[in-house]
Amino acid sequence: MISSPRKDGELDGPQEVHLILLDNGRTQAYHDNELRKTLQCIRCGACMNHCPVYTRIGGHAYGTVYPGPIGKIISPHLMGIDSTQNLITASSMCGACEEVCPVRIPIPSLLQRLRQESKHNAEPNHDPLNGQNAAHNTLEIAAMKGFVFAATHPTFYHAGLNAARKMNGILPEHLGNWTQCRVKPKLAKTSLKAKLAKRQGGK
Ligand code: SF4
């Protein structure tokens, strides 16, 4: 595809050839056994066309050159995790991208790894990406730990849900940025479980 400069006696061809290779973070990806797989991409676009997020919002909606699910794992190398952390979280992790990828790039597990690294420092055997740990948020981490505790202790979970149901009316309507373009969801007055129990009891 690339010819040499014109040789002595040749009538056609360039007088000089300059070949410029742009690395753009690819060497960093290549040195990592897992992230190296991102470089197998042949840019067929299948992952983007099957992704439940990108089929609705379009390929370039997040402002990066590489669109779609593959863009989510390549862009952090080009631009650093700190400026691409919204990309790696915009995924339902349904796995459709990996299923349709002709070169079987494990996009969901690589996304998972990048999510981890956006919050915590890399494993000792991984080279740190630019901006690693940039999304570390003590409040969010504490909230998620609280949720994990509640979700693994049913009594505590149901007591919390009942209390939230009772407080439906007194909780603020606006919950920061989250409600800027959404309506705050309201918990039903009676849970489905309670409704079913009542129905079965009534039979
Ligand atoms: S489906 Fe695979 S090869 Fe095709 S664009 Fe996506 S990651 Fe690249």
Side-chain angles (χ1 to χ4, degrees), residues 182-200:
R182 299 183 188 89
V183 177
K184 187 191 81 177
K186 284 201 165 104
L187 286 172
K189 283 194 180 121
T190 317
S191 71
L192 179 64
K193 201 173 164 190
K195 275 186 186 165
L196 285 176
K198 195 171 166 194
R199 186 191 284 184
Q200 278 162 359

Side-chain angles (χ1 to χ4, degrees), residues 44-58:
C44 68
C47 54
M48 188 162 61
N49 292 335
H50 288 78
C51 173
V53 175
Y54 280 95
T55 46
R56 277 157 189 80
I57 62 171

Side-chain angles (χ1 to χ4, degrees), residues 41-47 70 101-103 105 107:
C41 176
I42 55 170
R43 302 203 72 184
C44 68
C47 54
I70 184 66
C101 175
V103 288
I105 299 175
I107 298 176

